[in-house]
Amino acid sequence: MNTFLEDLFSAQQYDKNSFFLIAGPCVVESEELVFEVAEKVFTLCKKFNIPYILKASYRKANRTNANSFTGIGDEKGLEILQKVARHFNLPCTTDIHSEPEAAMAAKYVDVLQIPAFLCRQTELLLAAGDTGKIVNVKKGQFLSGSSMKFAVEKIRSTGNEKVMLTERGTTFGYQDLVVDYRNIPIMQENKVPVIMDCTHSLQQPNQTSGVTGGNPLMIGTIASAAIATGADGLFIETHPDPSCALSDGANMLKLDLLEELLVKLVKLRKAFLN
């Protein structure tokens, strides 16, 4: 396991002077794309001393439209993600959607991510816990932060103590989300790292076009508020050209805007710690 991840789950003795970053494209579109994004984010995180976990989904199972892009093939996508992560000596993460996928993906990644819509699926959580990998559970858009203790308990029942929780907004009406920042300290009461998903929390779902919308201009606002309320990590999906992304382009951060954002967030973290 990556040294940072070992520290993260060693009685929470990691360096809280910084925050860690989970970032990458929404989905593995190609090897070239994952390399491009990983190289840029890796360079910036090294510059600002931010621990970095590479993220890309090998498959997108939750799509509004049946014709939407889902991936380039499960094993191919996982192999690319692992190859890029190893090239930069990074830990990596991806979504899983069913019990058999837990064991399959665990061969390639360090962190298994449970999508928000699936955070109550007991068998999926148990299968993820059984792999011994770190399990990051996204809070359902329909749940309170306090109710996420049951997801943590399910994973811990397998003997796996390596759990993280991610706040990603709460459904507001039919086509919007809001973020309740009280959920960050509430979920931290489970003695787990808590992450703010700065991009999916800005989604505008259920559009009549069949394509989820978003509001990426607010990514900095969401991230800054999360740092101010003590989030351990940030989750940011990013792409060189979100307008051409094959999944979730409407809420991703343009890659060349990441450096400016990280500069502000690092300063903000230091200000709040002092």
Side-chain angles (χ1 to χ4, degrees):
M1 189 186 294
N2 179 274
T3 301
F4 155 67
L5 294 180
E6 291 177 347
D7 292 343
L8 187 62
F9 292 97
S10 176
Q12 297 283 289
Q13 294 302 310
Y14 63 100
D15 182 8
K16 288 197 174 186
N17 289 318
S18 183
F19 52 89
F20 62 90
L21 179 65
I22 301 175
C26 178
V27 64
V28 177
E29 299 178 16
S30 67
E31 184 174 320
E32 292 74 20
L33 172 70
V34 181
F35 258 111
E36 179 181 357
V37 174
E39 182 174 27
K40 176 68 172 180
V41 182
F42 170 76
T43 301
L44 291 175
C45 286
K46 187 174 182 180
K47 177 179 179 181
F48 298 118
N49 196 30
I50 299 171
Y52 173 36
I53 301 172
L54 172 64
K55 184 270 169 184
S57 297
Y58 67 90
R59 174 156 54 94
K60 299 299 292 183
N62 175 27
R63 309 295 281 141
T64 303
N65 193 314
N67 297 319
S68 296
F69 177 80
T70 58
I72 59 175
D74 290 358
E75 288 194 11
K76 184 176 181 181
L78 285 166
E79 287 170 355
I80 288 173
L81 180 58
Q82 183 186 64
K83 178 180 179 180
V84 176
R86 286 181 173 176
H87 178 82
F88 294 104
N89 193 29
L90 291 169
C92 61
T93 184
T94 193
D95 302 271
I96 58 171
H97 317 91
S98 66
E99 296 93 275
E101 289 183 48
M104 176 183 70
K107 298 175 183 177
Y108 298 90
V109 303
D110 305 277
V111 182
L112 297 174
Q113 180 174 286
I114 308 298
F117 281 121
L118 301 177
C119 70
R120 285 168 51 97
Q121 298 299 105
T122 300
E123 295 304 320
L124 176 59
L125 294 173
L126 295 178
D130 282 336
T131 67
K133 296 288 184 174
I134 297 167
V135 184
N136 177 25
V137 188
K138 288 197 172 184
K139 183 187 75 64
Q141 303 93 320
F142 43 86
L143 292 176
S144 66
S146 57
S147 66
M148 290 302 291
K149 67 180 180 180
F150 300 110
V152 175
E153 289 173 359
K154 289 175 184 179
I155 296 167
R156 284 177 171 164
S157 74
T158 68
N160 187 343
E161 296 287 333
K162 296 174 291 188
V163 186
M164 304 193 293
L165 295 176
T166 294
E167 166 63 36
R168 57 96 74 223
T170 302
T171 298
F172 183 73
Y174 289 110
Q175 295 175 320
D176 205 359
L177 298 167
V178 294
V179 177
D180 181 350
Y181 287 95
R182 293 175 300 179
N183 284 331
I184 292 176
I186 286 172
M187 291 195 292
Q188 286 173 330
E189 291 176 2
N190 295 290
K191 306 300 181 185
V192 299
V194 173
I195 302 149
M196 181 70 229
D197 186 335
C198 304
T199 45
H200 289 97
S201 60
L202 291 167
Q203 285 183 329
Q204 296 170 335
N206 305 318
Q207 301 297 315
T208 55
S209 64
V211 178
T212 297
N215 187 8
L217 294 177
M218 298 296 289
I219 291 172
T221 300
I222 295 292
S224 297
I227 292 298
T229 48
D232 299 287
L234 300 177
F235 178 107
I236 298 176
E237 286 188 342
T238 182
H239 193 284
D241 186 358
S243 67
C244 296
L246 299 180
S247 176
D248 282 359
N251 54 265
M252 277 200 281
L253 180 70
K254 197 170 187 298
L255 187 58
D256 62 11
L257 299 177
L258 182 60
E259 181 170 13
E260 180 182 0
L261 176 59
L262 292 180
V263 168
K264 293 179 181 178
L265 296 176
V266 168
K267 290 181 180 178
L268 186 61
R269 183 64 155 211
K270 289 180 180 178
F272 274 91
L273 287 173
N274 292 331

